[in-house]
Amino acid sequence: MTWIGLRDVNTHRFSLAGIAARGLHPPRFVDDALLKRGSLQMEFAYTPSTRRQVLIDHRCEVPWPVHLRVTITPDAVLHFDLRCGAERSYMCLETGLTDCERAVELVYSWHAPDRTALLSLHLPYAARSVHRAMYDPSPVPLTALQSLIEDQGSARALIYLALSTDIEPIGPAPSLAGNAIVETPSGPRYVAHIQAGDHVLCDDGRPRPVIWAGHRDVPARGRFQPIRLRAPYFGLRHDTVVAPTQHIAFDGPDVEYLFGEERVLVSASHAVTGGVQAIRDTRKYVVRYHQLLLEDHALIRIGGAVGESLFLGALAKDDMALNASIWSGTDLDNLPSHSNFAAPVLKQYEAVTLTRAFV
């Protein structure tokens, strides 16, 4: 997989060698070069409105007229309309969005030689996805895609927009940097070195087998923007980098007093309060995350803190969602389903109150 384009509210980057490459040079390709297979991945915050909301409205006339328009209607139906010359790829998706969502991920993937395309919407903090398949998609001119990445004004509502030359998975994703240290029965190990069949120590002291261990390269923006959890907060013995969606466990008298629970989970994104306990890293364009899948959603020991293993929800029961995920094509015969988190997950305002109490 190669990410060749990235844009956020502050900057843009485009390179056929990959946006993570150093010493970028201007891309070289003929005007009518086509990307026959790829993915457009974007993230936006959603707020219900009585008016149609425009996420993208971009036009390019070279090498021929290309127009991409993505909107959401007041009844939360998403319309994706891509016109390349005389060809049109159009899909509408009933999103089911009813309340404000701080992160909504939308991915359009196309494979023109296989005559297939997929439009997917994922709510990373709610572990829910919806999908819509389409057939006979048009390949997209690279000049039009470069223009889309470099046009800061065509998608002001987006948190970021990224372009890949491959079919990108959607759904649950790894969220630990490779040098995160996980406790195992044989001692601490980097999460990048743990394989399926190995055992890790859960917070209850019992070893559990790893069903799947894997990684994914993603744009370092939005729900994937690295967050450095700083020691000695959270019980950490050293700084640990995670994705915003990674949950950290809290316990103690404050937790019992405020929430009446023995233990609660807090998203890393909610721990960024004034840059004391955690800080965001904006230096990278692409980041590689790792994660471990256990039979149950479990709390594991990570560098002195207590964090979560990968949460799948009901992914295994949805064939379309499974085929669109990182586990598409794997030989896992019995992918587990997780009906509940290992502990209650706090809402944003609850998490902010709690993390400030621990400063």
Side-chain angles (χ1 to χ4, degrees):
M1 298 180 184
T2 302
W3 293 96
I4 63 172
L6 176 65
R7 188 187 78 205
D8 59 18
V9 295
N10 297 315
T11 187
H12 61 78
R13 192 174 177 91
F14 187 91
S15 171
L16 294 181
I19 55 175
R22 296 183 178 180
L24 295 185
H25 301 285
R28 297 179 180 178
F29 47 80
V30 295
D31 285 346
D32 59 352
L34 299 174
L35 191 60
K36 299 179 182 180
R37 181 183 72 171
S39 298
L40 272 175
Q41 180 170 300
M42 61 202 81
E43 185 177 313
F44 61 93
Y46 174 76
T47 302
S49 174
T50 58
R51 304 178 61 182
R52 180 185 293 264
Q53 302 177 57
V54 179
L55 301 179
I56 297 179
D57 192 359
H58 177 77
R59 296 178 184 270
C60 178
E61 300 299 326
V62 178
W64 49 75
V66 176
H67 184 200
L68 173 62
R69 183 174 171 86
V70 183
T71 62
I72 297 183
T73 61
D75 55 351
V77 176
L78 187 140
H79 294 263
F80 181 95
D81 194 353
L82 174 61
R83 301 171 186 258
C84 297
E87 302 293 327
R88 185 187 186 193
S89 300
Y90 172 79
M91 286 181 279
C92 63
L93 193 65
E94 294 186 3
T95 66
L97 294 170
T98 56
D99 300 317
C100 294
E101 293 286 347
R102 56 197 172 96
V104 180
E105 187 178 69
L106 181 68
V107 180
Y108 170 66
S109 299
W110 71 97
H111 197 306
D114 286 351
R115 304 175 64 183
T116 59
L118 184 70
L119 184 66
S120 301
L121 183 140
H122 178 61
L123 303 180
Y125 292 96
R128 182 174 69 85
S129 301
V130 289
H131 310 270
R132 181 74 181 271
M134 191 189 74
Y135 302 96
D136 293 325
S138 301
V140 187
L142 275 168
T143 50
L145 292 168
Q146 180 184 4
S147 174
L148 173 63
I149 293 296
E150 295 178 349
D151 181 5
Q152 293 290 119
S154 64
R156 299 181 185 276
L158 297 184
I159 297 171
Y160 78 86
L161 172 68
L163 172 65
S164 171
T165 58
D166 211 338
I167 306 301
E168 292 294 333
I170 192 167
S175 53
L176 295 172
N179 61 356
I181 296 178
V182 175
E183 298 294 334
T184 75
S186 58
R189 296 174 62 186
Y190 290 124
V191 66
H193 296 169
I194 297 176
Q195 301 177 352
D198 293 343
H199 285 71
V200 296
L201 283 178
C202 292
D203 190 47
D204 58 9
R206 294 187 297 172
R208 304 277 181 87
V210 175
I211 295 177
W212 175 90
H215 66 267
R216 183 186 171 197
D217 295 337
V218 290
R221 297 293 185 271
R223 74 155 173 144
F224 297 116
Q225 185 176 57
I227 292 178
R228 180 175 297 276
L229 302 178
R230 303 174 68 182
Y233 299 106
F234 315 107
L236 288 168
R237 292 187 290 270
H238 51 79
D239 289 4
T240 300
V241 175
V242 301
T245 53
Q246 173 68 34
H247 288 122
I248 306 299
F250 285 75
D251 58 13
D254 287 331
V255 171
E256 293 186 13
Y257 175 74
L258 290 171
F259 307 107
E261 300 284 351
E262 180 179 346
R263 173 167 287 163
V264 294
L265 297 178
V266 172
S267 297
S269 60
H270 296 155
V272 183
T273 54
V276 177
Q277 301 159 304
I279 55 175
R280 298 183 185 275
D281 186 349
T282 60
R283 297 170 296 176
K284 295 183 177 181
Y285 295 99
V286 176
V287 61
R288 173 169 291 185
Y289 288 122
H290 298 253
Q291 194 43 290
L292 307 174
L293 176 64
L294 309 184
E295 183 65 32
D296 300 314
H297 184 243
L299 299 180
I300 58 179
R301 298 175 180 177
I302 305 172
V306 178
E308 64 172 343
S309 62
L310 192 60
F311 181 80
L312 291 190
L315 177 74
K317 300 178 181 180
D318 186 334
D319 289 341
M320 181 172 283
L322 183 59
N323 289 334
S325 75
I326 197 173
W327 295 275
S328 176
T330 65
D331 58 358
L332 286 177
D333 295 328
N334 297 304
L335 201 66
S337 292
H338 299 151
S339 57
N340 295 299
F341 285 95
V345 178
L346 296 189
K347 297 178 180 179
Q348 182 173 9
Y349 70 90
E350 296 173 324
V352 170
T353 300
L354 179 61
T355 53
R356 286 176 176 170
F358 274 76
V359 175

